[in-house]
Each structure stands twice: as C-alpha cells, then as structure tokens.
Amino acid sequence: MASSKEYLQFILEQLSALDGVSSRAMMGEYILYYRGKIVGIYDNRLLVKPVQAARSYLPRIRYETPYEGAKEMLLVEEVEEPEFLVGLFRAMYEALPAPKK
C-alpha cells in the first residue's frame, strides 16, 4: 500500500513550525527531508532512522520495516502532536546520516 498525498500533507502541516522540511515522491511513497537529511513516510506511517537521539526521545520504541528487505526504522505514533514532532526532528538531526552525493 502506498502513502497518500493527504497523509503527506498532514505530516507537513504538523511540522510547519520547523524550517527546512521538504518532501519528494519516490516509487509510490514520499521521502521526507529535514535540512537535507532523509526521514521517511511509508504506507501512511512516519518512520525515522533508529538513531540514539530518536530512541531516547520517543516514549515508546516500536520498530517496523518500511518495505520488505529494508532495515527496521522507528514508528512515530505521536503524529498528532506538532510540538513533539518538531522536538523529535530537532533532537535527531545531528545523528542522521549526511545525504549521499
């Protein structure tokens, strides 16, 4: 199941207080970027890389795979809490891998 444009718009609205958030459609999903680093939306779920900062910030750790054969990522369940999402993205930014050139 692919992610919907409506879900993407919802997540972007939740993150509207945060500068540097963008997205790009890719193979039926949307890749979400924060200041050039990748965060993802898969099957209408917000998944983030399992960096220590994200594991420390999330109140509940739940791993899910974005697609078959992929590495596990952390499911963010607090998508209806804009302040939480902004704080999460800020907390994990430094630990996210740099974009590949």
Side-chain angles (χ1 to χ4, degrees):
M1 175 173 100
S3 295
S4 68
K5 182 99 175 164
E6 292 79 19
Y7 187 76
L8 170 66
Q9 291 304 316
F10 169 73
I11 295 296
L12 291 174
E13 287 172 18
Q14 298 297 82
L15 292 166
S16 63
L18 190 61
D19 290 332
V21 176
S22 61
S23 66
R24 183 174 75 158
M26 182 179 284
M27 299 187 313
E29 297 297 346
Y30 295 98
I31 304 300
L32 197 60
Y33 296 88
Y34 174 49
R35 295 173 49 196
K37 295 183 178 182
I38 295 177
V39 182
I41 296 176
Y42 303 93
D43 294 334
N44 288 336
R45 299 171 295 166
L46 178 59
L47 301 174
V48 297
K49 297 210 180 262
V51 296
Q52 181 58 44
R55 289 193 304 269
S56 295
Y57 199 88
L58 291 170
R60 179 173 170 230
I61 303 297
R62 184 169 160 196
Y63 290 93
E64 294 199 7
T65 55
Y67 52 88
E68 189 174 328
K71 293 180 182 178
E72 288 185 324
M73 297 179 80
L74 296 172
L75 175 66
V76 179
E77 298 179 282
E78 297 78 11
V79 294
E80 295 189 11
E81 300 175 32
E83 296 84 13
F84 179 88
L85 292 180
V86 167
L88 172 63
F89 277 46
R90 286 181 176 150
M92 63 185 289
Y93 176 77
E94 291 299 324
L96 290 172
K100 294 179 182 177
K101 296 185 181 204

